[in-house]
Amino acid sequence: MAATIYYDKDADLAVLKGKTVAILGYGSQGHAHAQNLRDSGVRVIVSDRPESPNYDLAVSHGFEPMAIEEAAKKADIVSILLPDEIQGDIFRNHICDRLSPGNILLCSHGFNVHFGQIEPPEGVDLLLVAPKGPGHLVRSEFVAGGGVPCLIATSDGAPDEIFQIGLAYAKGIGGTRAGVIRTTFAEETETDLFGEQTVLCGGVSALVKAAYDTLVEAGYQPEMAFFECLHELKLIVDLFYQGGLSYMRYSVSNTAEYGDYTRGSRIITEETKREMRKILTEVQNGEFAREWILENKAGAPKFKALRRRERQHSLEEVGRRLRRLMSWIDEKEVD
Ligand code: NDP
Ligand code: MG
């Protein structure tokens, strides 16, 4: 069944009248929500930590960042836009006791709510308003008169009034200019984790590395392997983005298109699909969430080791060298 999509005409900013929205965390999403809501006439207060460059950014945007406790206490709607892995602890230690009945706790990703890391006190409702794009786009599109599509969810059985507040918030950040799709905390969280693990981050990185290694092991020059297996991926993904798989296939050569149809299914096989279903089950039954929460509680040793090891892959070294030859690339380096 196709989803219902809500637009500007379906949302009324007046339901936010007299309410204060606290934006906790002035990062990617936080800086965009705070400024867009303020530009939409909503009363906004923000919080970030004084040692963060984002604190100074908030000040330069005319906000007076305050401690999380103070912002949570003053606000009617508390929007938690902190890194996901610290939200649970911060909620329990600094936010929970400052909420009063009638307040709303809002997030942009359902992980902590869905997996029980955030459990609001009696009388406090939950909302999810999740832009389907990074914060800088949420801000730049808004300024340009557009918006980034959003997802919206309430807890099961929440009154319609809460949903209307969520729609108004989505309107305030520009989401209803593009379209807002209703979902549930479970669906947003599970599809998000599944997508990033199997395709967007995990699947695609593994595919690129395996193809690069295959060429290099067969004696081809690493530079050639880099261009073919990583660099050109962007051109292909841009075509997906503009017109789906069909437009990519229309744009490439017939030889490439034939190779796609006849060879792709030998790479992603029934076995891959079985593993995808296993990964989905681990997402759904909370196994992945438990592992990641415990990993963070232990100081993330496995995560840090994996990150270190992956950064040493020869693909990364070759890429660094080759990107320097391409002056148009806005080259980024992580430390
Ligand atoms: P960021 O990491 O960009 O921003 C988080 C902000 O919180 C930073 O300003 C950070 O400051 C601050 N912060 C970190 N630790 C603390 C602390 N202990 N006390 C107070 N402030 C702190 O996060 P995002 O905006 O990317 O993510 C926020 C939420 O939005 C997440 O739930 C995420 O899943 C969701 N989301 C993100 C999207 C994206 O594309 N980025 C898209 C859709 C949803 P400092 O700079 O010092 O770390
Ligand atoms: Mg995501």
Side-chain angles (χ1 to χ4, degrees):
M1 196 182 67
T4 311
I5 305 187
Y6 300 86
Y7 298 99
D8 271 350
K9 64 172 173 34
D10 306 310
D12 186 2
L13 276 164
V15 301
L16 295 179
K17 222 174 144 117
K19 296 197 191 299
T20 299
V21 176
I23 302 293
L24 310 184
Y26 205 76
S28 174
Q29 289 298 325
H31 91 286
H33 293 215
Q35 293 183 91
N36 293 5
L37 286 166
R38 183 176 62 183
D39 291 349
S40 298
V42 178
R43 196 189 309 142
V44 176
I45 55 178
V46 312
S47 170
D48 208 302
R49 26 180 203 184
E51 66 272 28
S52 168
N54 291 325
Y55 182 98
D56 300 330
L57 187 68
V59 171
S60 77
H61 292 162
F63 291 107
E64 291 169 23
M66 56 190 85
I68 286 183
E69 290 85 346
E70 192 186 347
K73 197 166 172 44
K74 282 188 172 154
D76 304 286
I77 299 168
V78 177
S79 188
I80 179 162
L81 298 173
L82 302 164
D84 291 306
E85 59 279 15
I86 65 167
Q87 285 187 11
D89 279 342
I90 298 228
F91 176 77
R92 282 184 292 270
N93 299 328
H94 304 282
I95 301 174
C96 192
D97 292 347
R98 275 87 192 172
L99 299 175
S100 11
N103 286 173
I104 289 175
L105 189 69
L106 187 146
C107 56
S108 280
H109 179 31
F111 186 94
N112 287 289
V113 167
H114 183 57
F115 292 117
Q117 298 305 296
I118 290 183
E119 285 175 314
E122 195 64 30
V124 173
D125 278 289
L126 289 165
L127 265 175
L128 170 93
V129 177
K132 292 311 286 175
H136 72 84
L137 197 64
V138 174
R139 180 59 184 160
S140 64
E141 276 301 299
F142 181 90
V143 170
V148 171
C150 291
L151 304 178
I152 184 169
T154 57
S155 312
D156 292 343
D160 183 59
E161 181 195 328
I162 303 299
F163 179 65
Q164 296 306 326
I165 290 174
L167 272 183
Y169 185 101
K171 184 173 192 170
I173 62 172
T176 46
R177 293 175 182 173
V180 174
I181 297 175
R182 189 161 191 174
T183 178
T184 61
F185 276 91
E187 185 180 57
E188 187 272 338
T189 306
E190 291 167 6
T191 55
D192 186 78
L193 291 172
F194 177 80
E196 66 202 17
Q197 293 175 15
T198 60
V199 183
L200 307 175
C201 309
V204 96
S205 304
L207 188 68
V208 165
K209 272 191 305 174
Y212 171 91
D213 288 341
T214 303
L215 284 179
V216 173
E217 281 156 23
Y220 294 96
Q221 302 182 79
E223 291 79 3
M224 297 296 291
F226 172 83
F227 274 120
E228 285 309 318
C229 304
L230 186 145
H231 182 76
E232 288 193 22
L233 190 57
K234 168 162 171 46
L235 312 177
I236 296 297
V237 170
D238 283 347
L239 298 170
F240 285 178
Y241 202 73
Q242 289 177 283
L245 303 182
S246 300
Y247 182 62
M248 180 278 282
R249 287 161 172 168
Y250 161 82
S251 305
V252 299
S253 68
N254 286 344
T255 314
E257 186 179 357
Y258 180 74
D260 166 349
Y261 298 141
T262 56
R263 300 303 194 266
S265 56
R266 287 170 53 188
I267 298 302
I268 304 300
T269 59
E270 251 322 299
E271 196 190 329
T272 318
K273 189 101 182 282
R274 257 200 310 280
E275 204 57 40
M276 283 186 175
R277 282 194 287 267
K278 250 167 81 183
I279 288 177
L280 181 59
T281 304
E282 289 164 19
V283 164
Q284 290 169 328
N285 67 18
E287 204 176 316
F288 172 79
R290 202 169 320 112
E291 178 184 323
W292 178 226
I293 291 162
L294 289 176
E295 171 70 13
N296 279 298
K297 284 205 195 312
K302 178 176 168 187
F303 177 60
K304 287 177 190 158
L306 286 169
R307 181 187 267 168
R308 216 169 21 249
R309 194 186 73 193
E310 287 286 314
R311 283 188 186 165
Q312 284 160 2
H313 195 284
S314 88
L315 177 71
E316 295 298 273
E317 184 273 316
V318 176
R320 210 170 295 126
R321 253 186 314 110
L322 291 181
R323 277 189 292 275
R324 294 208 184 109
L325 309 180
M326 297 177 274
S327 58
W328 63 89
I329 295 180
D330 175 19
E331 206 187 327
K332 307 279 189 202
E333 180 95 52
V334 286
D335 39 67

